[in-house]
Amino acid sequence: MQHNLARGPAKGGIRYHPSTDLDEVKALAMWMTWKCAVVGIPYGGAKGGVAVDPKRLSEAELERLTRRYASEIQIIIGPEKDIPAPDMGTDARIMAWIMDTYSMNQGYVVPGVVTGKPISVGGTRGRVDATGRGILYIAQEACRARGISLEGATVAVQGFGNVGSNAARLLRSQGCRLVAVSDVSGGVYNPKGLEWHELQSIIKEQGLSLSQAKGDFDHISNAELLELPVDILVPAALENQITARNAPRVRAKIIIEGANGPTTPEADLILHEKNVFVVPDILANAGGVVVSYFEWVQDLQSFFWEEEEVNLRLKRIMTRSFDEVYTLATREGVSMREAAYMLALRREEEALRYRGIFP
């Protein structure tokens, strides 16, 4: 599903999830349009999805499904038209299958047709932790804007998948005190601090969920995590987690939206009245699409950068984008979310106005 192509080729992830439907894909495609516009990269928005639970498929079944799907959409994708990427339920291996299927049908290798690939087939260094690293850069700017020291700041992260886990690790590496994390089963909390590598060991090496973990921490629910008295809250799980029901009890000073749509519009108003500084999803979690853009650029020119260069370029874009949104929000007296959408819509409008309509 493509939403808008005014500013460049379509860009967006492919989602494998049982509840995926056309309405969700339409909404996510529109989100991608605004996300790309707010950080100033030359893409429009798109999204794809398959209503399936990939965990219930064998590797062979997953590959056949992916290659069939890639064959069906090959007419609308391509490095100059629409460049898919991983999303919920998909990963680098699935992107490699899509790239290979498209390339075999074209008769030559086309690495730039997708991003989020393994490095060995045209992926970029720095892509795996790009969204989490973008959250770190946004956190640095948000703390500076609110007069809070990042070092020693308390952090709670809802969702310990790729985005939440990497955000937690990187924030901890900069001196933050990670006090709570959660996965789908529940969370753990220690006001004195948690060690990221111990949590990772529980999940990756021991194969346990956080609700099964044992250690120097208390078990809490996902709902309780959202209401902890922390400096920075990173909701990096599902949409609609902060609602009108629990927003009055949210005690975080800064919310950095690692997930798409974790805050409802009604909750947004409540948080704004409470003077909670909310950095919206289309800015906060844009690090992934920014580094996907870098991967696409490298594929097109067959020249690849070192990870330090990728991270430096990402920091420049995320820092600049935060400053642009924050300046607009301050000047217009609106929230960061309103300012981000104002900026994105202005850029879309400008592109459409200059391009005109043909025929």
Side-chain angles (χ1 to χ4, degrees):
M1 176 66 66
Q2 297 174 350
H3 175 253
N4 189 289
L5 303 177
R7 301 184 66 256
K11 190 80 184 82
I14 292 175
R15 174 170 294 194
Y16 287 179
H17 193 272
S19 67
T20 295
D21 59 24
L22 190 57
D23 286 339
E24 180 187 52
V25 169
K26 286 179 180 178
L28 291 167
M30 182 178 67
W31 246 320
M32 286 303 302
T33 296
W34 311 137
K35 189 179 296 187
C36 293
V38 82
V39 293
I41 56 176
Y43 285 140
K47 208 73 176 183
V50 178
V52 65
D53 184 354
K55 296 178 182 178
R56 300 184 65 179
L57 301 182
S58 68
E59 183 172 341
E61 289 171 331
L62 190 61
E63 181 176 357
R64 289 198 299 272
L65 181 151
T66 298
R67 290 186 182 277
R68 181 73 258 169
Y69 179 69
S71 295
E72 292 296 331
I73 66 171
Q74 68 175 337
I75 192 172
I76 61 169
I77 64 174
E80 294 84 24
K81 297 190 291 185
D82 187 323
I83 308 104
D87 194 74
M88 187 184 300
T90 59
D91 56 17
R93 176 184 57 174
I94 288 173
M95 293 305 106
W97 288 334
I98 293 175
M99 186 274 281
D100 180 71
T101 304
Y102 182 87
S103 297
M104 292 303 99
N105 286 328
Q106 293 295 314
Y108 55 92
V109 179
V110 190
V113 67
V114 293
T115 58
K117 305 179 297 295
I119 291 175
S120 58
V121 291
T124 182
R125 290 172 173 82
R127 177 64 183 86
V128 173
D129 64 358
T131 307
R133 189 172 295 278
I135 288 171
L136 167 64
Y137 297 147
I138 291 296
Q140 291 173 334
E141 297 306 308
C143 284
R144 187 175 296 114
R146 302 299 276 188
I148 298 172
S149 173
L150 185 66
E151 185 172 356
T154 53
V155 176
V157 179
Q158 185 198 44
F160 208 60
N162 177 61
V163 175
S165 174
N166 280 305
R169 174 178 60 85
L170 292 165
L171 287 165
R172 179 71 184 86
S173 73
Q174 295 302 304
C176 292
R177 179 153 46 101
L178 183 65
V179 299
V181 300
S182 69
D183 59 19
V184 67
S185 70
V188 294
Y189 172 59
N190 184 343
K192 296 180 180 179
L194 301 165
E195 290 301 328
W196 181 88
H197 66 274
E198 293 178 2
L199 299 172
Q200 194 72 355
S201 173
I202 290 168
I203 294 172
K204 296 294 184 181
E205 297 174 19
Q206 300 178 38
L208 300 175
S209 65
L210 289 175
S211 65
Q212 299 170 314
K214 295 181 180 179
D216 185 21
F217 42 69
D218 297 323
H219 287 277
I220 59 173
S221 67
N222 271 286
E224 289 171 326
L225 181 143
L226 297 172
E227 300 172 13
L228 292 174
V230 294
D231 295 311
I232 301 171
L233 171 63
V234 182
L238 299 173
E239 62 274 4
N240 300 326
Q241 295 299 294
I242 304 176
T243 67
R245 295 183 64 182
N246 62 4
R249 298 189 298 275
V250 170
R251 290 181 282 175
K253 297 175 183 176
I254 297 171
I255 296 176
I256 301 174
E257 296 185 336
N260 287 325
T263 309
T264 67
E266 297 80 10
D268 232 6
L269 294 173
I270 295 170
L271 295 173
H272 187 62
E273 292 173 357
K274 285 163 55 73
N275 199 33
V276 178
F277 190 75
V278 180
V279 184
D281 46 11
I282 62 171
L283 171 60
N285 65 34
V289 74
V290 170
V291 175
S292 279
Y293 166 62
F294 295 161
E295 180 178 334
W296 176 70
V297 168
Q298 292 170 82
D299 285 337
L300 292 181
Q301 58 187 353
S302 298
F303 182 81
F304 293 86
W305 310 337
E306 296 299 326
E307 187 167 351
E308 292 80 5
E309 184 174 1
V310 172
N311 293 340
L312 179 60
R313 289 175 181 269
L314 172 62
K315 185 173 185 178
R316 287 174 181 167
I317 288 180
M318 297 304 291
T319 300
R320 182 203 68 209
S321 300
F322 180 92
D323 288 343
E324 290 172 340
V325 173
Y326 184 66
T327 298
L328 182 58
T330 303
R331 186 175 69 239
E332 299 294 334
V334 298
S335 69
M336 288 288 285
R337 191 183 311 279
E338 290 171 311
Y341 278 104
M342 288 168 63
L343 183 62
L345 284 162
R346 286 177 184 178
R347 287 173 173 167
E348 287 295 319
E349 184 273 336
E350 183 178 5
L352 287 166
R353 178 161 43 85
Y354 278 121
R355 289 186 60 163
I357 298 175
F358 178 82

PDB file of all heavy atoms in Angstrom, residues 190-222:
ATOM      1  N   ASN A 190      13.618  -2.319  39.384  1.00  0.00           N
ATOM      2  CA  ASN A 190      14.512  -2.096  40.513  1.00  0.00           C
ATOM      3  C   ASN A 190      14.894  -0.626  40.507  1.00  0.00           C
ATOM      4  O   ASN A 190      15.610  -0.184  39.600  1.00  0.00           O
ATOM      5  CB  ASN A 190      15.762  -2.965  40.415  1.00  0.00           C
ATOM      6  CG  ASN A 190      16.666  -2.827  41.638  1.00  0.00           C
ATOM      7  OD1 ASN A 190      16.547  -1.874  42.412  1.00  0.00           O
ATOM      8  ND2 ASN A 190      17.586  -3.766  41.819  1.00  0.00           N
ATOM      9  N   PRO A 191      14.440   0.163  41.476  1.00  0.00           N
ATOM     10  CA  PRO A 191      14.740   1.597  41.476  1.00  0.00           C
ATOM     11  C   PRO A 191      16.231   1.906  41.577  1.00  0.00           C
ATOM     12  O   PRO A 191      16.664   3.013  41.228  1.00  0.00           O
ATOM     13  CB  PRO A 191      13.980   2.120  42.707  1.00  0.00           C
ATOM     14  CG  PRO A 191      13.749   0.916  43.563  1.00  0.00           C
ATOM     15  CD  PRO A 191      13.621  -0.240  42.630  1.00  0.00           C
ATOM     16  N   LYS A 192      17.034   0.923  42.018  1.00  0.00           N
ATOM     17  CA  LYS A 192      18.479   1.122  42.104  1.00  0.00           C
ATOM     18  C   LYS A 192      19.165   0.895  40.759  1.00  0.00           C
ATOM     19  O   LYS A 192      20.319   1.271  40.580  1.00  0.00           O
ATOM     20  CB  LYS A 192      19.080   0.190  43.164  1.00  0.00           C
ATOM     21  CG  LYS A 192      18.597   0.475  44.575  1.00  0.00           C
ATOM     22  CD  LYS A 192      19.228  -0.491  45.568  1.00  0.00           C
ATOM     23  CE  LYS A 192      18.746  -0.220  46.984  1.00  0.00           C
ATOM     24  NZ  LYS A 192      19.337  -1.166  47.971  1.00  0.00           N
ATOM     25  N   GLY A 193      18.454   0.255  39.837  1.00  0.00           N
ATOM     26  CA  GLY A 193      19.010   0.043  38.511  1.00  0.00           C
ATOM     27  C   GLY A 193      19.079  -1.414  38.114  1.00  0.00           C
ATOM     28  O   GLY A 193      19.219  -2.310  38.953  1.00  0.00           O
ATOM     29  N   LEU A 194      18.965  -1.658  36.807  1.00  0.00           N
ATOM     30  CA  LEU A 194      19.072  -2.992  36.218  1.00  0.00           C
ATOM     31  C   LEU A 194      20.270  -3.015  35.276  1.00  0.00           C
ATOM     32  O   LEU A 194      20.632  -1.994  34.692  1.00  0.00           O
ATOM     33  CB  LEU A 194      17.808  -3.328  35.420  1.00  0.00           C
ATOM     34  CG  LEU A 194      16.476  -3.316  36.170  1.00  0.00           C
ATOM     35  CD1 LEU A 194      15.322  -3.302  35.167  1.00  0.00           C
ATOM     36  CD2 LEU A 194      16.370  -4.527  37.093  1.00  0.00           C
ATOM     37  N   GLU A 195      20.859  -4.188  35.125  1.00  0.00           N
ATOM     38  CA  GLU A 195      21.968  -4.347  34.188  1.00  0.00           C
ATOM     39  C   GLU A 195      21.455  -4.964  32.893  1.00  0.00           C
ATOM     40  O   GLU A 195      20.858  -6.041  32.901  1.00  0.00           O
ATOM     41  CB  GLU A 195      23.069  -5.210  34.788  1.00  0.00           C
ATOM     42  CG  GLU A 195      23.826  -4.529  35.917  1.00  0.00           C
ATOM     43  CD  GLU A 195      24.498  -3.229  35.480  1.00  0.00           C
ATOM     44  OE1 GLU A 195      24.911  -3.134  34.300  1.00  0.00           O
ATOM     45  OE2 GLU A 195      24.614  -2.309  36.311  1.00  0.00           O
ATOM     46  N   TRP A 196      21.703  -4.286  31.785  1.00  0.00           N
ATOM     47  CA  TRP A 196      21.176  -4.713  30.496  1.00  0.00           C
ATOM     48  C   TRP A 196      21.648  -6.116  30.122  1.00  0.00           C
ATOM     49  O   TRP A 196      20.867  -6.942  29.647  1.00  0.00           O
ATOM     50  CB  TRP A 196      21.585  -3.718  29.411  1.00  0.00           C
ATOM     51  CG  TRP A 196      21.061  -4.067  28.057  1.00  0.00           C
ATOM     52  CD1 TRP A 196      19.862  -3.716  27.516  1.00  0.00           C
ATOM     53  CD2 TRP A 196      21.717  -4.878  27.062  1.00  0.00           C
ATOM     54  NE1 TRP A 196      19.726  -4.238  26.242  1.00  0.00           N
ATOM     55  CE2 TRP A 196      20.846  -4.961  25.948  1.00  0.00           C
ATOM     56  CE3 TRP A 196      22.947  -5.535  27.008  1.00  0.00           C
ATOM     57  CZ2 TRP A 196      21.184  -5.669  24.803  1.00  0.00           C
ATOM     58  CZ3 TRP A 196      23.270  -6.247  25.857  1.00  0.00           C
ATOM     59  CH2 TRP A 196      22.393  -6.320  24.779  1.00  0.00           C
ATOM     60  N   HIS A 197      22.949  -6.375  30.325  1.00  0.00           N
ATOM     61  CA  HIS A 197      23.493  -7.668  29.887  1.00  0.00           C
ATOM     62  C   HIS A 197      22.877  -8.830  30.659  1.00  0.00           C
ATOM     63  O   HIS A 197      22.730  -9.937  30.130  1.00  0.00           O
ATOM     64  CB  HIS A 197      25.018  -7.690  30.010  1.00  0.00           C
ATOM     65  CG  HIS A 197      25.523  -7.615  31.414  1.00  0.00           C
ATOM     66  ND1 HIS A 197      25.719  -6.426  32.071  1.00  0.00           N
ATOM     67  CD2 HIS A 197      25.864  -8.599  32.300  1.00  0.00           C
ATOM     68  CE1 HIS A 197      26.165  -6.669  33.288  1.00  0.00           C
ATOM     69  NE2 HIS A 197      26.255  -7.968  33.459  1.00  0.00           N
ATOM     70  N   GLU A 198      22.475  -8.599  31.921  1.00  0.00           N
ATOM     71  CA  GLU A 198      21.828  -9.652  32.692  1.00  0.00           C
ATOM     72  C   GLU A 198      20.428  -9.944  32.137  1.00  0.00           C
ATOM     73  O   GLU A 198      20.011 -11.101  32.049  1.00  0.00           O
ATOM     74  CB  GLU A 198      21.744  -9.243  34.160  1.00  0.00           C
ATOM     75  CG  GLU A 198      23.101  -9.149  34.849  1.00  0.00           C
ATOM     76  CD  GLU A 198      22.992  -8.706  36.294  1.00  0.00           C
ATOM     77  OE1 GLU A 198      21.843  -8.506  36.770  1.00  0.00           O
ATOM     78  OE2 GLU A 198      24.032  -8.547  36.946  1.00  0.00           O
ATOM     79  N   LEU A 199      19.714  -8.892  31.766  1.00  0.00           N
ATOM     80  CA  LEU A 199      18.384  -9.078  31.175  1.00  0.00           C
ATOM     81  C   LEU A 199      18.492  -9.785  29.831  1.00  0.00           C
ATOM     82  O   LEU A 199      17.683 -10.667  29.510  1.00  0.00           O
ATOM     83  CB  LEU A 199      17.703  -7.715  31.005  1.00  0.00           C
ATOM     84  CG  LEU A 199      17.471  -6.908  32.282  1.00  0.00           C
ATOM     85  CD1 LEU A 199      16.984  -5.507  31.934  1.00  0.00           C
ATOM     86  CD2 LEU A 199      16.471  -7.611  33.189  1.00  0.00           C
ATOM     87  N   GLN A 200      19.484  -9.399  29.051  1.00  0.00           N
ATOM     88  CA  GLN A 200      19.682 -10.027  27.748  1.00  0.00           C
ATOM     89  C   GLN A 200      20.016 -11.510  27.903  1.00  0.00           C
ATOM     90  O   GLN A 200      19.560 -12.349  27.122  1.00  0.00           O
ATOM     91  CB  GLN A 200      20.802  -9.303  26.993  1.00  0.00           C
ATOM     92  CG  GLN A 200      20.891  -9.633  25.521  1.00  0.00           C
ATOM     93  CD  GLN A 200      19.759  -9.023  24.715  1.00  0.00           C
ATOM     94  OE1 GLN A 200      18.841  -8.416  25.254  1.00  0.00           O
ATOM     95  NE2 GLN A 200      19.813  -9.176  23.405  1.00  0.00           N
ATOM     96  N   SER A 201      20.795 -11.832  28.923  1.00  0.00           N
ATOM     97  CA  SER A 201      21.142 -13.228  29.181  1.00  0.00           C
ATOM     98  C   SER A 201      19.901 -14.045  29.522  1.00  0.00           C
ATOM     99  O   SER A 201      19.751 -15.185  29.074  1.00  0.00           O
ATOM    100  CB  SER A 201      22.152 -13.306  30.334  1.00  0.00           C
ATOM    101  OG  SER A 201      22.384 -14.651  30.698  1.00  0.00           O
ATOM    102  N   ILE A 202      19.015 -13.458  30.311  1.00  0.00           N
ATOM    103  CA  ILE A 202      17.782 -14.147  30.695  1.00  0.00           C
ATOM    104  C   ILE A 202      16.958 -14.504  29.462  1.00  0.00           C
ATOM    105  O   ILE A 202      16.446 -15.617  29.320  1.00  0.00           O
ATOM    106  CB  ILE A 202      16.958 -13.274  31.656  1.00  0.00           C
ATOM    107  CG1 ILE A 202      17.660 -13.171  33.019  1.00  0.00           C
ATOM    108  CG2 ILE A 202      15.538 -13.818  31.826  1.00  0.00           C
ATOM    109  CD1 ILE A 202      17.077 -12.120  33.930  1.00  0.00           C
ATOM    110  N   ILE A 203      16.856 -13.566  28.532  1.00  0.00           N
ATOM    111  CA  ILE A 203      16.001 -13.752  27.363  1.00  0.00           C
ATOM    112  C   ILE A 203      16.683 -14.591  26.290  1.00  0.00           C
ATOM    113  O   ILE A 203      16.100 -15.544  25.762  1.00  0.00           O
ATOM    114  CB  ILE A 203      15.575 -12.378  26.802  1.00  0.00           C
ATOM    115  CG1 ILE A 203      14.686 -11.658  27.818  1.00  0.00           C
ATOM    116  CG2 ILE A 203      14.856 -12.533  25.471  1.00  0.00           C
ATOM    117  CD1 ILE A 203      14.368 -10.233  27.456  1.00  0.00           C
ATOM    118  N   LYS A 204      17.916 -14.241  25.949  1.00  0.00           N
ATOM    119  CA  LYS A 204      18.596 -14.879  24.820  1.00  0.00           C
ATOM    120  C   LYS A 204      19.216 -16.227  25.184  1.00  0.00           C
ATOM    121  O   LYS A 204      19.086 -17.197  24.442  1.00  0.00           O
ATOM    122  CB  LYS A 204      19.682 -13.945  24.274  1.00  0.00           C
ATOM    123  CG  LYS A 204      19.160 -12.643  23.692  1.00  0.00           C
ATOM    124  CD  LYS A 204      18.335 -12.874  22.441  1.00  0.00           C
ATOM    125  CE  LYS A 204      17.916 -11.553  21.815  1.00  0.00           C
ATOM    126  NZ  LYS A 204      17.089 -11.742  20.603  1.00  0.00           N
ATOM    127  N   GLU A 205      19.911 -16.284  26.318  1.00  0.00           N
ATOM    128  CA  GLU A 205      20.652 -17.496  26.659  1.00  0.00           C
ATOM    129  C   GLU A 205      19.801 -18.492  27.442  1.00  0.00           C
ATOM    130  O   GLU A 205      19.849 -19.695  27.204  1.00  0.00           O
ATOM    131  CB  GLU A 205      21.909 -17.130  27.448  1.00  0.00           C
ATOM    132  CG  GLU A 205      22.898 -16.273  26.637  1.00  0.00           C
ATOM    133  CD  GLU A 205      24.074 -15.806  27.478  1.00  0.00           C
ATOM    134  OE1 GLU A 205      24.326 -16.403  28.532  1.00  0.00           O
ATOM    135  OE2 GLU A 205      24.744 -14.836  27.063  1.00  0.00           O
ATOM    136  N   GLN A 206      19.006 -17.986  28.386  1.00  0.00           N
ATOM    137  CA  GLN A 206      18.181 -18.876  29.181  1.00  0.00           C
ATOM    138  C   GLN A 206      16.830 -19.160  28.535  1.00  0.00           C
ATOM    139  O   GLN A 206      16.121 -20.087  28.930  1.00  0.00           O
ATOM    140  CB  GLN A 206      17.968 -18.285  30.579  1.00  0.00           C
ATOM    141  CG  GLN A 206      19.262 -18.061  31.358  1.00  0.00           C
ATOM    142  CD  GLN A 206      19.011 -17.435  32.711  1.00  0.00           C
ATOM    143  OE1 GLN A 206      18.043 -17.752  33.398  1.00  0.00           O
ATOM    144  NE2 GLN A 206      19.886 -16.518  33.105  1.00  0.00           N
ATOM    145  N   GLY A 207      16.463 -18.349  27.543  1.00  0.00           N
ATOM    146  CA  GLY A 207      15.208 -18.565  26.834  1.00  0.00           C
ATOM    147  C   GLY A 207      13.973 -18.300  27.665  1.00  0.00           C
ATOM    148  O   GLY A 207      12.913 -18.882  27.418  1.00  0.00           O
ATOM    149  N   LEU A 208      14.083 -17.406  28.652  1.00  0.00           N
ATOM    150  CA  LEU A 208      12.962 -17.102  29.535  1.00  0.00           C
ATOM    151  C   LEU A 208      12.328 -15.764  29.169  1.00  0.00           C
ATOM    152  O   LEU A 208      12.972 -14.895  28.596  1.00  0.00           O
ATOM    153  CB  LEU A 208      13.438 -17.046  30.988  1.00  0.00           C
ATOM    154  CG  LEU A 208      14.082 -18.314  31.565  1.00  0.00           C
ATOM    155  CD1 LEU A 208      14.593 -18.047  32.966  1.00  0.00           C
ATOM    156  CD2 LEU A 208      13.096 -19.478  31.565  1.00  0.00           C
ATOM    157  N   SER A 209      11.061 -15.601  29.506  1.00  0.00           N
ATOM    158  CA  SER A 209      10.429 -14.288  29.422  1.00  0.00           C
ATOM    159  C   SER A 209      10.756 -13.531  30.698  1.00  0.00           C
ATOM    160  O   SER A 209      11.195 -14.114  31.698  1.00  0.00           O
ATOM    161  CB  SER A 209       8.916 -14.429  29.262  1.00  0.00           C
ATOM    162  OG  SER A 209       8.362 -15.017  30.429  1.00  0.00           O
ATOM    163  N   LEU A 210      10.538 -12.230  30.697  1.00  0.00           N
ATOM    164  CA  LEU A 210      10.854 -11.438  31.884  1.00  0.00           C
ATOM    165  C   LEU A 210       9.972 -11.818  33.075  1.00  0.00           C
ATOM    166  O   LEU A 210      10.390 -11.707  34.221  1.00  0.00           O
ATOM    167  CB  LEU A 210      10.721  -9.946  31.568  1.00  0.00           C
ATOM    168  CG  LEU A 210      11.810  -9.373  30.656  1.00  0.00           C
ATOM    169  CD1 LEU A 210      11.513  -7.918  30.314  1.00  0.00           C
ATOM    170  CD2 LEU A 210      13.184  -9.485  31.309  1.00  0.00           C
ATOM    171  N   SER A 211       8.766 -12.273  32.806  1.00  0.00           N
ATOM    172  CA  SER A 211       7.895 -12.679  33.912  1.00  0.00           C
ATOM    173  C   SER A 211       8.403 -13.936  34.609  1.00  0.00           C
ATOM    174  O   SER A 211       8.046 -14.217  35.752  1.00  0.00           O
ATOM    175  CB  SER A 211       6.469 -12.917  33.408  1.00  0.00           C
ATOM    176  OG  SER A 211       6.434 -14.015  32.514  1.00  0.00           O
ATOM    177  N   GLN A 212       9.263 -14.707  33.918  1.00  0.00           N
ATOM    178  CA  GLN A 212       9.834 -15.930  34.491  1.00  0.00           C
ATOM    179  C   GLN A 212      11.189 -15.689  35.144  1.00  0.00           C
ATOM    180  O   GLN A 212      11.734 -16.573  35.794  1.00  0.00           O
ATOM    181  CB  GLN A 212       9.994 -16.988  33.391  1.00  0.00           C
ATOM    182  CG  GLN A 212       8.697 -17.411  32.727  1.00  0.00           C
ATOM    183  CD  GLN A 212       8.956 -18.270  31.508  1.00  0.00           C
ATOM    184  OE1 GLN A 212       9.807 -17.959  30.677  1.00  0.00           O
ATOM    185  NE2 GLN A 212       8.217 -19.375  31.404  1.00  0.00           N
ATOM    186  N   ALA A 213      11.735 -14.504  34.940  1.00  0.00           N
ATOM    187  CA  ALA A 213      13.103 -14.217  35.392  1.00  0.00           C
ATOM    188  C   ALA A 213      13.185 -14.118  36.910  1.00  0.00           C
ATOM    189  O   ALA A 213      12.234 -13.696  37.576  1.00  0.00           O
ATOM    190  CB  ALA A 213      13.582 -12.907  34.759  1.00  0.00           C
ATOM    191  N   LYS A 214      14.340 -14.486  37.420  1.00  0.00           N
ATOM    192  CA  LYS A 214      14.619 -14.362  38.848  1.00  0.00           C
ATOM    193  C   LYS A 214      15.871 -13.510  39.029  1.00  0.00           C
ATOM    194  O   LYS A 214      16.855 -13.682  38.313  1.00  0.00           O
ATOM    195  CB  LYS A 214      14.816 -15.746  39.474  1.00  0.00           C
ATOM    196  CG  LYS A 214      13.577 -16.623  39.451  1.00  0.00           C
ATOM    197  CD  LYS A 214      13.841 -17.970  40.101  1.00  0.00           C
ATOM    198  CE  LYS A 214      12.586 -18.835  40.073  1.00  0.00           C
ATOM    199  NZ  LYS A 214      12.827 -20.171  40.694  1.00  0.00           N
ATOM    200  N   GLY A 215      15.801 -12.587  39.970  1.00  0.00           N
ATOM    201  CA  GLY A 215      16.945 -11.723  40.197  1.00  0.00           C
ATOM    202  C   GLY A 215      16.625 -10.651  41.214  1.00  0.00           C
ATOM    203  O   GLY A 215      15.588 -10.703  41.896  1.00  0.00           O
ATOM    204  N   ASP A 216      17.510  -9.664  41.278  1.00  0.00           N
ATOM    205  CA  ASP A 216      17.353  -8.580  42.248  1.00  0.00           C
ATOM    206  C   ASP A 216      16.417  -7.510  41.689  1.00  0.00           C
ATOM    207  O   ASP A 216      16.836  -6.402  41.337  1.00  0.00           O
ATOM    208  CB  ASP A 216      18.733  -7.985  42.568  1.00  0.00           C
ATOM    209  CG  ASP A 216      18.657  -6.920  43.665  1.00  0.00           C
ATOM    210  OD1 ASP A 216      17.671  -6.929  44.432  1.00  0.00           O
ATOM    211  OD2 ASP A 216      19.575  -6.079  43.731  1.00  0.00           O
ATOM    212  N   PHE A 217      15.142  -7.871  41.554  1.00  0.00           N
ATOM    213  CA  PHE A 217      14.151  -6.940  41.030  1.00  0.00           C
ATOM    214  C   PHE A 217      12.760  -7.433  41.398  1.00  0.00           C
ATOM    215  O   PHE A 217      12.565  -8.585  41.787  1.00  0.00           O
ATOM    216  CB  PHE A 217      14.272  -6.782  39.514  1.00  0.00           C
ATOM    217  CG  PHE A 217      14.509  -8.065  38.767  1.00  0.00           C
ATOM    218  CD1 PHE A 217      13.526  -9.044  38.671  1.00  0.00           C
ATOM    219  CD2 PHE A 217      15.725  -8.303  38.146  1.00  0.00           C
ATOM    220  CE1 PHE A 217      13.734 -10.222  37.987  1.00  0.00           C
ATOM    221  CE2 PHE A 217      15.953  -9.492  37.458  1.00  0.00           C
ATOM    222  CZ  PHE A 217      14.950 -10.449  37.378  1.00  0.00           C
ATOM    223  N   ASP A 218      11.804  -6.525  41.281  1.00  0.00           N
ATOM    224  CA  ASP A 218      10.400  -6.867  41.492  1.00  0.00           C
ATOM    225  C   ASP A 218       9.718  -7.076  40.150  1.00  0.00           C
ATOM    226  O   ASP A 218      10.081  -6.440  39.153  1.00  0.00           O
ATOM    227  CB  ASP A 218       9.683  -5.740  42.250  1.00  0.00           C
ATOM    228  CG  ASP A 218      10.244  -5.534  43.644  1.00  0.00           C
ATOM    229  OD1 ASP A 218      10.607  -6.537  44.284  1.00  0.00           O
ATOM    230  OD2 ASP A 218      10.338  -4.367  44.082  1.00  0.00           O
ATOM    231  N   HIS A 219       8.728  -7.934  40.123  1.00  0.00           N
ATOM    232  CA  HIS A 219       7.946  -8.139  38.909  1.00  0.00           C
ATOM    233  C   HIS A 219       6.786  -7.148  38.878  1.00  0.00           C
ATOM    234  O   HIS A 219       6.106  -6.935  39.882  1.00  0.00           O
ATOM    235  CB  HIS A 219       7.419  -9.573  38.844  1.00  0.00           C
ATOM    236  CG  HIS A 219       8.485 -10.571  38.534  1.00  0.00           C
ATOM    237  ND1 HIS A 219       8.899 -10.839  37.254  1.00  0.00           N
ATOM    238  CD2 HIS A 219       9.247 -11.347  39.348  1.00  0.00           C
ATOM    239  CE1 HIS A 219       9.854 -11.739  37.285  1.00  0.00           C
ATOM    240  NE2 HIS A 219      10.088 -12.073  38.549  1.00  0.00           N
ATOM    241  N   ILE A 220       6.596  -6.526  37.717  1.00  0.00           N
ATOM    242  CA  ILE A 220       5.511  -5.568  37.522  1.00  0.00           C
ATOM    243  C   ILE A 220       4.810  -5.878  36.208  1.00  0.00           C
ATOM    244  O   ILE A 220       5.343  -6.609  35.360  1.00  0.00           O
ATOM    245  CB  ILE A 220       6.014  -4.103  37.506  1.00  0.00           C
ATOM    246  CG1 ILE A 220       7.043  -3.905  36.381  1.00  0.00           C
ATOM    247  CG2 ILE A 220       6.611  -3.714  38.855  1.00  0.00           C
ATOM    248  CD1 ILE A 220       7.467  -2.456  36.192  1.00  0.00           C
ATOM    249  N   SER A 221       3.636  -5.308  36.026  1.00  0.00           N
ATOM    250  CA  SER A 221       2.905  -5.474  34.766  1.00  0.00           C
ATOM    251  C   SER A 221       3.323  -4.371  33.795  1.00  0.00           C
ATOM    252  O   SER A 221       3.953  -3.374  34.179  1.00  0.00           O
ATOM    253  CB  SER A 221       1.402  -5.397  35.014  1.00  0.00           C
ATOM    254  OG  SER A 221       1.041  -4.081  35.421  1.00  0.00           O
ATOM    255  N   ASN A 222       2.971  -4.541  32.536  1.00  0.00           N
ATOM    256  CA  ASN A 222       3.230  -3.501  31.542  1.00  0.00           C
ATOM    257  C   ASN A 222       2.513  -2.209  31.915  1.00  0.00           C
ATOM    258  O   ASN A 222       3.046  -1.114  31.727  1.00  0.00           O
ATOM    259  CB  ASN A 222       2.791  -3.970  30.157  1.00  0.00           C
ATOM    260  CG  ASN A 222       3.886  -4.704  29.419  1.00  0.00           C
ATOM    261  OD1 ASN A 222       4.835  -4.091  28.945  1.00  0.00           O
ATOM    262  ND2 ASN A 222       3.777  -6.021  29.349  1.00  0.00           N
TER     263      ASN A 222
END
